[in-house]
């Protein structure tokens, strides 16, 4: 087996990815497919940390007539529900996992402790980070950039609904052009919808490459690890 391009990865799963075709809530068969791909890359020798979103259940900005902080707290709690769903699916196929949350809920999961997370990764456990960064006014993309920097991940695998970064929305514009490669500054200056600017800046400052790809086929996680150019790389 050749050298692995990435030894430690931070996989960012949007909440939508867990909803599958349903578009809302949790599609357990979809979560299981994702879990199987994670197991495969673990078996290839990759250490995997996961940040999971919450948009399939609740997003801060959808909280009408609600103060932003409360809505964001609800969004962060949604990510914990997803983290537990993912943990269950991984453990059902014998992958050892730990959930760590940025907001303490000790009866449910470990609190986020960086050194402990690093130790889990070294021991071959998947660490799932729930509750985003623990702060309102942030996104789980920013939490992914933060945790990737903290645990010294080699890359962020940004699993989306679309198969890469386009110059405009490919859903509404059939002439949209996909990029194979971009710089962080391209993303920021052209306001491309990859990650929000806070997350992109954090990756830029800490030189963490981002690979954007689609989870339409959960096997894409394996393809990315095998070095196939299936999405867009931002570096
Ligand atoms: N959130 C937050 N702080 C964080 C991360 C998330 O307040 O550090 C809240 C925010 O309301 C967000 C929601 O949690 O809308 C769910 O996360 P996100 O929208 O990033 O999930 P995704 O779009 O990836 O499913």
């Amino acid at each position: 087996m050749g050298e692995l391009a990435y030894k430690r990865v931070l996989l960012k799963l949007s909440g939508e990815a867990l909803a599958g075709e349903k578009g809302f809530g949790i599609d357990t068969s979809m979560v299981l497919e994702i879990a199987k791909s994670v197991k495969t890359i673990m078996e290839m020798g990759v250490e995997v940390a996961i940040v999971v979103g919450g948009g399939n259940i609740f997003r801060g900005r959808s909280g009408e007539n609600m103060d932003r902080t409360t809505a964001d707290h609800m969004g962060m709690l949604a990510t914990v529900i997803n983290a537990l769903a993912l943990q269950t699916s991984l453990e059902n196929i014998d992958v050892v996992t730990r959930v760590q949350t940025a907001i303490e809920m000790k009866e449910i999961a470990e609190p986020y402790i960086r050194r402990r997370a690093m130790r889990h990764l070294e021991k071959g456990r998947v660490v799932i980070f729930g509750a985003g960064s623990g702060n309102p006014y942030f996104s789980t993309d920013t939490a992914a950039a933060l945790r990737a920097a903290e645990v010294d991940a080699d890359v962020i695998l940004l699993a989306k609904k679309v198969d890469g970064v386009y110059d405009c929305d490919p859903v509404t514009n059939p002439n949209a052009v996909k990029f194979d490669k971009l710089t962080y500054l391209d993303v920021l200056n052209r306001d491309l919808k990859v990650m929000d600017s806070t997350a992109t800046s954090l990756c830029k400052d800490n030189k963490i490459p981002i690979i954007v790809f689609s989870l339409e086929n959960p096997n894409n996680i394996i393809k990315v690890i095998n070095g196939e150019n299936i999405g867009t790389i931002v570096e």
Side-chain angles (χ1 to χ4, degrees):
M1 198 165 61
E3 275 284 287
L4 280 170
Y6 307 110
K7 179 81 189 84
R8 179 174 289 172
V9 302
L10 187 304
L11 173 64
K12 162 68 210 300
L13 296 170
S14 69
E16 274 177 347
L18 306 191
E21 294 289 296
K22 293 198 296 180
F24 185 82
I26 297 170
D27 176 343
T28 47
S29 56
M30 183 65 190
V31 182
L32 181 62
E33 289 312 309
I34 296 170
K36 285 182 190 162
S37 291
V38 169
K39 182 175 180 167
T40 303
I41 63 167
M42 296 282 300
E43 286 171 348
M44 289 162 70
V46 181
E47 294 174 0
V48 186
I50 301 177
V51 167
V52 65
N56 55 324
I57 299 170
F58 196 85
R59 274 204 179 92
R61 57 184 182 277
S62 49
E64 279 174 44
N65 302 322
M66 197 184 277
D67 72 87
R68 170 76 190 258
T69 303
T70 303
D72 282 344
H73 285 160
M74 291 170 68
M76 285 188 275
L77 291 174
T79 72
V80 179
I81 295 176
N82 286 333
L84 296 178
L86 198 57
Q87 178 175 48
T88 302
S89 289
L90 283 162
E91 297 205 329
N92 281 344
I93 53 170
D94 302 318
V95 178
V96 182
T97 67
R98 295 289 186 272
V99 173
Q100 291 200 344
T101 57
I103 296 170
E104 271 200 39
M105 41 186 97
K106 288 196 291 265
E107 289 77 4
I108 293 176
E110 291 180 7
Y112 172 63
I113 299 172
R114 174 180 170 264
R115 282 172 183 274
R116 223 165 153 178
M118 304 277 275
R119 185 86 186 112
H120 292 321
L121 292 171
E122 285 160 7
K123 287 194 156 188
R125 299 170 184 145
V126 173
V127 183
I128 306 166
F129 296 117
S133 67
N135 302 294
Y137 294 93
F138 286 91
S139 66
T140 47
D141 283 351
T142 303
L146 174 64
R147 295 294 182 245
E150 286 183 286
V151 304
D152 206 14
D154 302 319
V155 66
I156 295 178
L157 307 183
L158 192 62
K160 293 253 182 195
K161 272 195 130 173
V162 282
D163 61 349
V165 184
Y166 286 77
D167 60 346
C168 56
D169 187 352
V171 179
T172 50
N173 189 339
N175 298 321
V177 178
K178 187 176 139 200
F179 299 104
D180 290 332
K181 217 173 164 142
L182 286 166
T183 65
Y184 306 107
L185 275 181
D186 291 331
V187 174
L188 292 169
N189 291 340
R190 298 176 68 165
D191 198 19
L192 298 170
K193 305 290 174 225
V194 183
M195 300 179 132
D196 53 75
S197 56
T198 315
T200 308
S201 301
L202 208 51
C203 289
K204 176 179 175 291
D205 292 349
N206 294 289
K207 300 185 177 59
I208 307 167
I210 309 155
I211 300 179
V212 185
F213 64 103
S214 153
L215 251 200
E216 211 90 65
N217 174 1
N219 278 336
N220 282 349
I221 298 176
I222 304 165
K223 289 188 184 169
V224 170
I225 293 296
N226 279 327
E228 287 184 43
N229 292 330
I230 56 165
T232 301
I233 181 156
V234 183
E235 61 185 353

